[in-house]
Amino acid sequence: MGSPDETAADILESFRFAARSELDTFGFNRLCVYRGTPLVARVCGARNPRRRARLAQSGSKCSDIDPTTLPSALVNRLRAKGYGLLFLHRLLKRPIRTWNLLRTFGRT
């Protein structure tokens, strides 16, 4: 999540897709941009030393260095909302399976 050109509707559609699938577990993470990867040139631009300097850390989220991506706060809110909707869907559609999965997670 949080890649360039991604919209809020795209993020929520990812959660809807996961809800329709038969997966038992799932994970949604933020996109991190690392130095030396092809995404750096796309996000930072070929000649933007200021943005490139912000990548001095081992990895940065796109929203921290690219002003055209969705803001971090919005991506975090959408992710929390998506997880809530996904969990609610799982609980309503497959209550026994979800309960057993939660019990398993609680034991570990």
Side-chain angles (χ1 to χ4, degrees):
M1 291 189 214
S3 62
D5 302 326
E6 186 176 42
T7 65
D10 294 335
I11 292 173
L12 292 176
E13 182 57 34
S14 297
F15 283 100
R16 286 186 202 101
F17 173 77
R20 290 188 308 263
S21 70
E22 292 292 321
L23 299 173
D24 286 333
T25 60
F26 40 82
F28 294 90
N29 297 305
R30 301 282 306 274
L31 175 66
C32 285
V33 182
Y34 293 96
R35 288 178 289 163
T37 60
L39 190 58
V40 170
R42 182 175 176 344
V43 171
C44 293
R47 297 179 189 86
N48 193 330
R50 190 178 212 183
R51 284 190 193 160
R52 222 175 293 129
R54 293 175 81 178
L55 279 172
Q57 306 162 5
S58 61
S60 298
K61 294 175 182 67
C62 273
S63 55
D64 295 339
I65 58 174
D66 185 4
T68 64
T69 61
L70 295 174
S72 283
L74 177 60
V75 173
N76 289 336
R77 277 195 312 270
L78 289 168
R79 188 166 75 167
K81 179 180 179 180
Y83 270 121
L85 293 172
L86 183 56
F87 182 73
L88 182 64
H89 182 269
R90 295 282 174 168
L91 194 58
L92 295 176
K93 294 289 182 180
R94 298 180 229 158
I96 295 171
R97 194 175 190 183
T98 303
W99 174 252
N100 289 336
L101 187 63
L102 288 174
R103 277 191 2 198
T104 302
F105 286 151
R107 290 181 193 149
T108 56

